Amino acid sequence: MVKTKRLDFISMGQAMLVHFVTDEPGKIPAIRAMLEPEHRVVAQLLGTGEANTDSNSVLMVDADLRVSVRVEQIKLLMRKLRSITERLFVVQSHLQHMVAQAYALGATGVLRSSREIVPKLAQMEILARAAAQAQPSAEAAEIADSAKAFAAMFAAIKRGKPIDLSDAENATSQIVNYVETNGLSAWLDDVRKYHEGTFQHCLLVTGVAVGFALDIGFKGADVKRLGLAATLHDVGKAHIPLSILDKPGRLDPDEEQTMRRHPVIGYELLEDLPGVSPEVLDGVRHHHEYLDGSGYPDALKAPQIPDLVRLLTISDIFAALVETRSYKPPKSRQDAYNILCGMDQKLERPLVKAFRRVALAA
Ligand SMILES: [Fe+2]
Ligand SMILES: [Fe+2]
């Protein structure tokens, strides 16, 4: 909690706020000269004024701890400022024996001279950033696990190793649990915050497909089957160059042709793997087919396209439209849904209608 709060004010690019408390007015200009304008300083003379301050600030106390009246004033102050988590006391080196007193008063750190505040703040910034990266929220950690499974799957394929189906199944189960517990909107928001490119796409498609399956009343095994098809639907992209996958803007005809190979590549990677169901294989190979026969790679027509594939195709298109890419703004969920509605000959109308609840749910 504390680390998240601190991250907030660092990540907004704001200066740190230092609440400086001293018993010597002459020390205030010196602190201001050291820290401003890079940081903000709120100065308070011990025993005077209100102690209100932002709990995100850093408390710095520079007072003579040998004087009992000062100690009493500090005790009072610390009770009012207990929400501040970083409390630094200046204890001059010749008063080394006062260090214990500082900690007894609630210090979280001791500075040997007031000048040490400058490197201390820099160090705190670095630590806060590292801690924030190392300790994402529980939800972000769950997404990170799923993303890791995707990354491992793609890396293995690139190295010519077979896909580990249990990894894909675990990633799918994690996403099913997340969407069941937190809802699809939370999944969409969080994935788009933390991931990019193909991994973001795979995470989004799987979340959307799972949300769709749950919404239309699929039961456990069917939700997992559609989820697994979504998890694996673009594995063939592991063999498509990144220059094409991440190209900003439209692909030229040659690049488009290369890109269009990914469903067959994915199918070939999976077809001999024990335990992959025909429905999942179908989803991987045919998620770019359209009911009117204009899709690829096999230009299937409506009767040849199973229901699971139709659900997957809708989820795939929707996820691609709401993705965040560095070079284009994402479509809103409403705009993305409107585009699906305009693909009347290609997608099954009743399914698109049913998808409305999933697409637009808050
Ligand atoms: Fe695809
Ligand atoms: Fe896709």
Side-chain angles (χ1 to χ4, degrees), residues 201-202 205 233-234 237 262 287-288 316-317 320 323:
H201 175 71
C202 292
V205 175
H233 84 286
D234 270 344
K237 284 185 178 172
H262 78 269
H287 64 274
H288 288 288
D316 184 33
I317 298 169
E323 259 168 58

Side-chain angles (χ1 to χ4, degrees), residues 5 53-56 78 80-85 87:
K5 268 189 181 175
T53 193
D54 189 325
S55 58
N56 274 334
M78 297 301 279
K80 291 179 180 165
L81 298 181
R82 69 165 70 98
S83 64
I84 297 182
T85 53
R87 303 181 291 268

Side-chain angles (χ1 to χ4, degrees), residues 150-295:
F150 279 105
M153 208 157 64
F154 276 75
I157 297 166
K158 278 186 182 159
R159 287 199 305 270
K161 295 196 167 167
I163 294 170
D164 185 337
L165 196 60
S166 64
D167 280 351
E169 284 168 342
N170 288 340
T172 306
S173 296
Q174 281 168 359
I175 297 172
V176 171
N177 288 342
Y178 186 105
V179 174
E180 271 179 336
T181 311
N182 304 300
L184 178 61
S185 290
W187 178 256
L188 294 180
D189 290 346
D190 282 349
V191 168
R192 289 184 294 182
K193 253 186 262 166
Y194 296 113
H195 297 280
E196 290 180 358
T198 304
F199 298 146
Q200 181 191 131
H201 175 71
C202 292
L203 289 163
L204 289 178
V205 175
T206 308
V208 171
V210 165
F212 197 2
L214 292 170
D215 188 78
I216 57 180
F218 273 24
K219 294 288 171 267
D222 292 330
V223 175
K224 279 197 178 151
R225 194 172 299 116
L226 178 58
L228 186 62
T231 295
L232 294 168
H233 84 286
D234 270 344
V235 283
K237 284 185 178 172
H239 286 321
I240 306 294
L242 276 180
S243 57
I244 294 179
L245 288 179
D246 290 339
K247 182 179 176 181
R250 289 190 87 79
L251 301 178
D252 69 31
D254 283 349
E255 293 166 337
E256 182 67 35
Q257 223 181 350
T258 304
M259 182 67 131
R260 284 178 169 230
R261 291 176 50 231
H262 78 269
V264 173
I265 296 173
Y267 176 83
E268 288 171 350
L269 286 167
L270 292 164
E271 65 177 335
D272 294 327
L273 215 61
V276 182
S277 69
E279 292 95 334
V280 169
L281 281 175
D282 239 350
V284 173
R285 186 174 179 111
H286 293 133
H287 64 274
H288 288 288
E289 303 285 1
Y290 292 133
L291 302 184
D292 62 2
S294 65

